[in-house]
Amino acid sequence: MPNASAKGLGFLALIALACGSLLATTEHFTAERIAANKHAHELQQIAELIGMQPATEPNWQAGVWQLCNGIDLIKAQSAGYGGPILALVARRDGKLQGLRVTMHQETPGIADFVAQPNDPWRRGLRQRDAQTLATVDTVSGATVTSKALLGLVERALVHDVKRKACDP
């Protein structure tokens, strides 16, 4: 007759197997919907960033999507205080047109400006080129975060991409 501890371990293994199966089944049935929601969210962020719904599906090539209106959208990343900061940067003629932070782990309350496109500090970055970004002061109390965001934007603005002919 098995002892109580062996019965307990067997029962625990059975519960773990049931939970694993349930998670795998849930992932299988929700993966397509999750992917569609992520895509819709990306399109919404792009529309907010460029001020209109894009006419075509995103055509990312090495993290850059060239729009027919002369704007380059660039996927950018930088190491912030709390972890990586991911963003979409819109530039035209070497100047910042807009910035959307798509993911960050910065300290709530201190670095709220990171996710707020209309924050006064963030608005002050618009229409700047890489050279004039060097004159922007960091945010007091969030120096590492603001330097990370400035570096991210600067690298995106100087990212060398040859403009291609556009098919509307």
Side-chain angles (χ1 to χ4, degrees):
M1 180 170 182
N3 64 24
S5 129
K7 279 185 179 179
L9 284 175
F11 187 67
L12 218 55
L14 187 61
I15 290 173
L17 181 64
C19 288
S21 297
L22 184 60
L23 285 172
T25 302
T26 302
E27 193 278 334
H28 173 75
F29 286 110
T30 60
E32 192 174 311
R33 193 153 117 207
I34 289 170
N37 286 343
K38 282 183 178 180
H39 182 68
H41 183 67
E42 179 185 48
L43 290 177
Q44 177 188 355
Q45 288 181 318
I46 290 169
E48 290 172 2
L49 184 57
I50 63 174
M52 64 180 179
Q53 242 355 84
T56 62
E57 279 294 307
N59 183 14
W60 298 104
Q61 303 211 355
V64 178
W65 179 24
Q66 295 180 337
L67 299 164
C68 290
N69 64 0
I71 291 178
D72 293 331
L73 290 179
I74 301 161
K75 291 182 178 182
Q77 179 175 338
S78 190
Y81 180 76
I85 299 172
L86 304 178
L88 290 175
V89 176
R91 75 167 182 206
R92 180 183 299 172
D93 300 324
K95 293 185 178 178
L96 180 67
Q97 299 301 303
L99 169 68
R100 283 293 180 274
V101 174
T102 58
M103 199 271 313
H104 75 89
Q105 299 170 337
E106 302 306 284
T107 309
I110 295 173
D112 288 345
F113 67 93
V114 169
Q116 298 172 349
N118 291 318
D119 175 84
W121 185 81
R122 294 261 312 265
R123 277 197 322 263
L125 302 179
R126 292 183 191 144
Q127 296 304 320
R128 290 183 179 260
D129 59 19
Q131 267 188 316
T132 59
L133 278 177
T135 65
V136 174
D137 288 332
T138 58
V139 176
S140 180
T143 305
V144 173
T145 302
S146 51
K147 280 185 177 180
L149 209 53
L150 287 169
L152 174 149
V153 171
E154 182 181 356
R155 286 188 301 279
L157 292 178
V158 299
H159 186 80
D160 189 28
V161 177
K162 301 287 186 234
R163 202 100 181 70
K164 297 176 185 163
C166 191
D167 295 326

